[in-house]
Amino acid sequence: MELGFYHKRMEYELKNFMMLWLIVLLSLCYCYVIGNKISKGIKRLLFVLPIIVIFMYLPLNLYSFHLNFLTFYAIAWLCNSKLLLFAFGNGPLSSDPSMPIPVFLAVASLPIKLQQKPPLNIQNKEHPSTENPKNVSPILIYAIKGPLLAIVVYITTNYSVYITTNYSVYIHQTFLSCIACLQYYLQYEMTLALISALAGALLGLELEPTFNEPYLSTSLQNFWGRRWNLMASNILRLTVHQPTKKMFARVLGHRWATPLAVMVTFSASGLIHELMFYYLLRVKPTGEATCYFLIHGMCVVVEIELKKKFKKWNFPWLISVLLTLGFVLVTTSWPFFSPMKRCKAYVRALHEYEAVAALFNDAILCFGIM
């Protein structure tokens, strides 16, 4: 009975999802025209602001965990940030004045970034040899990650088979938290990679990667700045970090501008994630996501200062990776995932998987009959 409820709910959600994205595309067509007719600055911002307000409201019409997340991330956060930059002639939507409307719509509405020429240099200055080998095909990497994600999902849905009753509750929860982090990463990256691949193939675009193998991170600065969710990092850099750094540099000088800009950027990311949890869970913000990003922000500032003081001293690569990933895993399990654990978001997600599978099964049967 519960599966039937989610089945019907998912049908409604998918229809609603398509309608919302039609509104998004029509709104962005309006923004494209505005960009050609209205000069950049406050005047263009006034014309774009109503669209930004609409985009903030749209995800509230979705209750599906996955569809809501995708709409919030791509539209309420990234697209709105791009439109704010666009209003002042900055950002990815203003990178090419002759950008055709299909490309404008894709870059605005999807979590993608056009390949820079020359390509963005994301080399790891601490351990240059640890960057991804150029001869390793992304297809091969995802061919490994795909089955790994399937295994992780299977474990999380049937974890009682893999964990004996002799284990304590603490180990049990720790194991599940690590697996949940791995699933979150794989599912997140592969979803964005699929969107990027489809957009690139359909429009003939060269796009930058969405992730850069974050499990090879040698520091938190390396993790957040050069490896994890590069699209979000770039948007935060353009909308928060660079403006605040310039402002603090004028007032306090360059010595304090960088650490303060880092803290402001992580604080902004925390507030965005608080809003995201509200959209997804419809519960009052608890501040745990903000706490998580403030902790990481402070640690990044400490890293920056230590690197300045001990320029020639580094941990061995393996130790750096283990320390970084260990810290990320522990802090992500708490406090970042705490709101979702309390609201049993994972149960909702599992029901949605089952409902989507049932919809596909019905579609196959329907086409088979026809």
Side-chain angles (χ1 to χ4, degrees):
M1 183 175 178
E2 192 172 15
L3 179 58
F5 169 78
Y6 275 96
H7 189 169
K8 293 180 181 178
R9 185 74 184 181
M10 186 55 67
E11 287 185 31
Y12 171 79
E13 286 287 290
L14 287 172
K15 293 177 183 177
N16 200 19
F17 179 73
M18 290 186 285
M19 182 59 66
L20 293 183
W21 275 78
L22 177 60
I23 294 172
V24 168
L25 294 177
L26 292 174
S27 301
L28 290 175
C29 288
Y30 160 81
C31 292
Y32 182 82
V33 174
I34 290 299
N36 291 327
K37 301 292 184 181
I38 307 296
S39 58
K40 62 183 180 181
I42 298 297
K43 188 176 180 181
R44 186 189 290 182
L45 176 63
L46 293 175
F47 279 90
V48 172
L49 271 178
I51 303 301
I52 293 175
V53 173
I54 292 171
F55 285 179
M56 290 298 297
Y57 171 73
L58 288 180
L60 292 172
N61 293 279
L62 293 169
Y63 293 90
S64 162
F65 188 84
H66 296 90
L67 299 182
N68 194 322
F69 170 76
L70 180 60
T71 306
F72 174 84
Y73 174 68
I75 303 303
W77 178 11
L78 294 185
C79 185
N80 273 347
S81 298
K82 294 172 189 176
L83 289 177
L84 284 172
L85 292 167
F86 173 69
F88 294 96
N90 299 317
L93 299 180
S94 301
S95 59
D96 182 5
S98 61
M99 184 183 294
I101 189 167
V103 177
F104 181 91
L105 295 178
V107 173
S109 63
L110 300 177
I112 59 175
K113 184 184 177 186
L114 297 177
Q115 180 73 59
Q116 293 184 1
K117 296 181 180 181
L120 180 66
N121 180 17
I122 52 175
Q123 186 178 7
N124 184 353
K125 296 179 181 179
E126 300 164 7
H127 302 276
S129 62
T130 65
E131 290 301 316
N132 306 333
K134 293 183 179 179
N135 59 344
V136 177
S137 170
I139 297 176
L140 177 60
I141 293 175
Y142 286 113
I144 296 171
K145 290 180 180 178
L148 180 59
L149 175 60
I151 293 170
V152 168
V153 171
Y154 183 80
I155 292 174
T156 53
T157 53
N158 302 275
Y159 63 87
S160 58
V161 177
Y162 293 86
I163 303 174
T164 65
T165 54
N166 295 327
Y167 281 66
S168 68
V169 174
Y170 176 76
I171 296 176
H172 177 277
Q173 292 300 324
T174 302
F175 177 82
L176 286 181
S177 296
C178 292
I179 291 295
C181 290
L182 180 58
Q183 180 181 345
Y184 170 73
Y185 156 62
L186 290 172
Q187 194 168 331
Y188 194 13
E189 178 181 359
M190 295 193 71
T191 300
L192 297 186
L194 178 61
I195 293 172
S196 180
L198 290 174
L202 292 173
L203 297 174
L205 302 174
E206 291 185 21
L207 303 174
E208 293 190 0
T210 52
F211 282 77
N212 183 31
E213 315 307 335
Y215 47 82
L216 297 178
S217 301
T218 54
S219 67
L220 289 177
Q221 187 182 10
N222 182 237
F223 178 85
W224 290 113
R226 296 187 176 94
R227 292 189 179 275
W228 179 264
N229 198 353
L230 301 179
M231 185 70 248
S233 298
N234 181 64
I235 286 296
L236 285 170
R237 189 178 296 113
L238 293 174
T239 56
V240 182
H241 185 267
Q242 291 179 356
T244 53
K245 186 176 180 180
K246 289 180 181 178
M247 181 185 69
F248 286 129
R250 293 193 195 101
V251 178
L252 301 173
H254 292 282
R255 172 66 181 85
W256 297 105
T258 297
L260 288 173
V262 168
M263 289 305 302
V264 171
T265 304
F266 275 90
S267 300
S269 182
L271 293 174
I272 290 169
H273 283 79
E274 293 284 355
L275 185 62
M276 180 189 74
F277 284 144
Y278 173 76
Y279 276 76
L280 293 177
L281 308 174
R282 306 298 163 90
V283 294
K284 187 177 179 180
T286 61
E288 288 165 302
T290 304
C291 178
Y292 169 81
F293 281 98
L294 286 176
I295 291 171
H296 277 253
M298 287 186 287
C299 291
V300 168
V301 169
V302 171
E303 275 188 0
I304 293 172
E305 296 303 316
L306 288 176
K307 287 174 186 176
K308 289 179 181 178
K309 191 171 184 180
F310 305 101
K311 294 181 180 179
K312 296 183 179 180
W313 187 80
N314 286 312
F315 282 115
W317 174 79
L318 182 59
I319 294 177
S320 297
V321 170
L322 291 176
L323 287 174
T324 302
L325 295 186
F327 182 82
V328 171
L329 281 172
V330 170
T331 53
T332 302
S333 299
W334 180 92
F336 187 77
F337 277 153
S338 295
M340 289 193 285
K341 289 177 182 177
R342 284 195 300 271
C343 296
K344 298 182 179 180
Y346 190 72
V347 175
R348 283 175 53 196
L350 287 179
H351 284 309
E352 288 181 17
Y353 294 148
E354 294 170 349
V356 170
L359 284 174
F360 274 113
N361 186 52
D362 290 348
I364 292 171
L365 291 175
C366 180
F367 282 110
I369 293 172
M370 293 175 64

